[in-house]
Amino acid sequence: MSNTTKHAVTGPLARWVAGLTLAQVPERVRERAKHLLLDGVTCALIGAQLPWSRIAREAVLELEGVGEAVVVGSGCATSAPAAVLLNSTFIQGFELDDFHPLAPLHSNSLILPVLLAPAGRSGKVTGAQALTAAIAGFEVGPRVGLALHGSQMLSRGWHSGAVFGTHTAAMTAGVLRGLDAGRLEDALGMAGTQSAGLMAAQYEAMSKRMQHGFAARNGYYAAALAAAGYTGIKQVFDREYGGYLAVFGEGHDPDPRQIVAGLGERWHTELIAVKSYAAQGGLHGTIQAALELRGEHRIDPAGIDRIEIRVGHTVYHHGWWKPDRPLTSVGAQMNLGYAAAVALLDGAVTPRQFTEQRLDADDVWDLIGKVDVQLDPDIENGPANERFATDLTITLNDGTVLHRRLVHVHGGPDDPVTNDELIAKYRTLAGPLISADRLEAIERAVLDLENLDDVRTLARLLADRAIGALDQARNPR
């Protein structure tokens, strides 16, 4: 038996990444990438001073000590791998970061921390190099996820983005280090053998916030080892025995061709979804439908008799279980019932909906008790781009039935958050946490990234302490 598949993809992917230049990337894609990175900065600043982020920072700094790599929003610096781990954890810290709708992963939590960390002994990376590396990461991760049928990975209980996020980080770091195709292939091999992540972390574990961080750190290490000449698994996607797709894709027919499909022609950077609500992406259909019905019908939550939510397999298994009171913030941000309740009660799903007081509020739990979530076979068996649809029915005490079916939510590829909306999100959410001058300087540096002489300029702007997002939510200015 051959030890490679008939669709060899590892080598072509590494060669494409090695040869990528900004000149090859359409201007619209470059602009979108910069705005996505600004969204990552937003999430990092929000996540920097959350209670669980502070615990993570204290634990990691005790292990790693002081170094030269910036820990965003903290005033601290540590070793580069530790900073990558922590900054990724901050970006994932409050479920406000990007996600790919068909190959579920959170790209910014894998890319931005690598851009902010030293890429080698010289430390200097130009903004143009950083933007090229970011685009390589935005393109590679989703392709690996699609080859694995990433939503199926999620349904099986893998934390999908942590499983194929290592390659995202490795290629970002590899471009920053100027690795050739052979060493990029080594990095892919070492990234693949470090892939992991269990989705049961979603119920209550702080570690859910860190699992993309493990992937980011592992990919960063993979590129550094490859740069030193340490070899990894060759043809890691192609091996039939012990290869990445063969092992992680067992049981659901992986398609290796997806890894190189449309390279340089179809840009996944443009498909990455951006969150408008502080909850996992599969809940956004429920949240948007609830907010729309609430606004159109001026619903009094006290008059609701029952709430029925119908979703497909991935959203059902990732987003529904009967919650116990009180939920942790992690669990609440994953749970369809909690998301529906606070959307209908508060008309928002932002940091204020996840304070300790709101997580244990009587009105929230009264409404959660009226929620019924069903697996809808029509959604599950529908076209691939409709399997994240949501069907919401609200029945009032007087018998009135309100219904909304959403196939495409705002923020997804069919109704994307605009670049201007991303800037507004940054200013609205990060603005209360840092000074106005710093807010403006960071925005300018990110959106003019290709002209930045040294990415360490951006890192320094992000370094100083930020106000805690939950502190600000409890005591707004």
Side-chain angles (χ1 to χ4, degrees), residues 172-474:
T172 302
V175 171
L176 294 178
R177 289 178 176 272
L179 300 189
D180 62 21
R183 291 193 173 182
L184 285 171
E185 184 168 347
D186 286 325
L188 287 169
M190 283 183 278
T193 203
Q194 296 182 89
S195 294
L198 297 176
M199 204 60 254
Q202 73 178 30
Y203 299 114
E204 70 287 305
M206 291 180 185
S207 61
K208 193 274 174 190
R209 317 286 191 184
M210 191 176 278
Q211 289 179 176
H212 275 69
F214 294 142
R217 179 200 60 191
N218 293 348
Y220 180 84
Y221 255 113
L225 288 165
Y230 199 79
T231 60
I233 300 168
K234 302 294 188 182
Q235 300 174 315
V236 69
F237 299 125
D238 308 309
R239 302 284 188 178
E240 290 184 357
Y241 174 73
Y244 180 83
L245 294 180
V247 172
F248 284 106
E250 184 177 10
H252 53 93
D253 192 26
D255 181 6
R257 293 168 295 187
Q258 294 296 324
I259 292 176
V260 293
L263 272 173
E265 298 174 0
R266 186 170 71 249
W267 298 91
H268 279 271
T269 303
E270 297 183 289
L271 300 179
I272 292 170
V274 176
K275 291 182 180 178
S276 300
Y277 315 111
Q280 65 111 326
L283 275 56
H284 281 217
T286 292
I287 295 168
Q288 183 175 324
L291 292 175
E292 289 179 1
L293 290 176
R294 181 183 190 271
E296 292 171 13
H297 300 280
R298 299 183 179 180
I299 296 172
D300 177 4
I304 293 175
D305 179 62
R306 63 183 182 274
I307 302 165
E308 182 181 275
I309 304 167
R310 302 182 69 85
V311 290
H313 188 273
T314 299
V315 177
Y316 181 81
H317 286 280
H318 187 23
W320 180 239
W321 67 96
K322 285 287 187 181
D324 294 321
R325 180 177 183 177
L327 280 164
T328 64
S329 63
V330 173
Q333 290 175 313
M334 301 288 137
N335 189 273
L336 283 159
Y338 188 89
V342 293
L344 289 166
L345 287 162
D346 300 348
V349 184
T350 69
R352 294 186 184 185
Q353 277 63 58
F354 300 96
T355 60
E356 291 180 4
Q357 294 87 346
R358 205 72 189 110
L359 290 167
D360 195 27
D362 289 340
D363 60 343
V364 173
W365 284 91
D366 287 345
L367 205 51
I368 289 174
K370 299 177 181 181
V371 173
D372 179 39
V373 181
Q374 296 292 326
L375 177 61
D376 189 324
D378 290 337
I379 295 174
E380 175 58 26
N381 298 318
N385 66 342
E386 297 183 9
R387 291 177 190 166
F388 285 83
T390 297
D391 197 287
L392 175 66
T393 302
I394 299 172
T395 304
L396 304 181
N397 292 333
D398 63 5
T400 301
V401 176
L402 308 175
H403 176 258
R404 181 62 42 90
R405 181 182 178 89
L406 287 179
V407 175
H408 305 298
V409 301
H410 184 51
D414 295 284
D415 183 16
V417 170
T418 67
N419 290 343
D420 286 344
E421 287 176 313
L422 279 172
I423 294 172
K425 177 181 174 182
Y426 165 71
R427 294 173 180 173
T428 298
L429 295 180
L433 310 182
I434 59 177
S435 71
D437 288 347
R438 186 177 169 199
L439 186 79
E440 182 180 352
I442 291 169
E443 179 183 323
R444 187 166 57 248
V446 175
L447 297 185
D448 194 32
L449 184 60
E450 65 267 52
N451 295 313
L452 198 64
D453 179 62
D454 190 337
V455 171
R456 286 177 294 191
T457 301
L458 174 60
R460 286 192 290 269
L461 287 169
L462 293 170
D464 288 345
R465 185 179 175 87
I467 294 171
L470 287 180
D471 300 331
Q472 198 278 331
R474 285 188 289 265

Side-chain angles (χ1 to χ4, degrees), residues 39-58:
D39 193 59
V41 167
T42 305
C43 297
L45 290 168
I46 290 169
Q49 293 294 341
L50 295 169
W52 43 93
S53 297
R54 292 168 181 157
I55 293 171
R57 184 174 66 246
E58 290 173 7

Side-chain angles (χ1 to χ4, degrees), residues 61-189:
L61 290 179
E62 182 178 350
L63 287 168
E64 297 282 350
V66 175
E68 297 181 355
V70 163
V71 180
V72 171
S74 70
C76 301
T78 185
S79 70
V84 169
L85 173 65
L86 286 172
N87 289 333
S88 175
T89 301
F90 298 170
I91 293 169
Q92 262 272 278
F94 217 74
E95 291 298 324
L96 278 161
D97 55 330
D98 63 275
F99 67 100
H100 194 287
L102 299 178
L105 83 165
H106 304 283
S107 296
N108 255 311
S109 66
L110 302 156
I111 293 169
L112 182 60
V114 173
L115 300 184
L116 298 176
R121 290 179 181 174
S122 72
K124 181 175 178 178
V125 171
T126 69
Q129 289 173 301
L131 184 55
T132 305
I135 292 169
F138 285 132
E139 293 301 312
V140 168
R143 286 182 162 81
V144 179
L146 286 172
L148 277 177
H149 306 301
S151 62
Q152 292 183 33
M153 292 292 290
L154 201 57
S155 294
R156 289 171 58 199
W158 289 101
H159 193 170
S160 56
V163 171
F164 41 86
T166 51
H167 304 102
T168 305
M171 292 300 93
T172 302
V175 171
L176 294 178
R177 289 178 176 272
L179 300 189
D180 62 21
R183 291 193 173 182
L184 285 171
E185 184 168 347
D186 286 325
L188 287 169

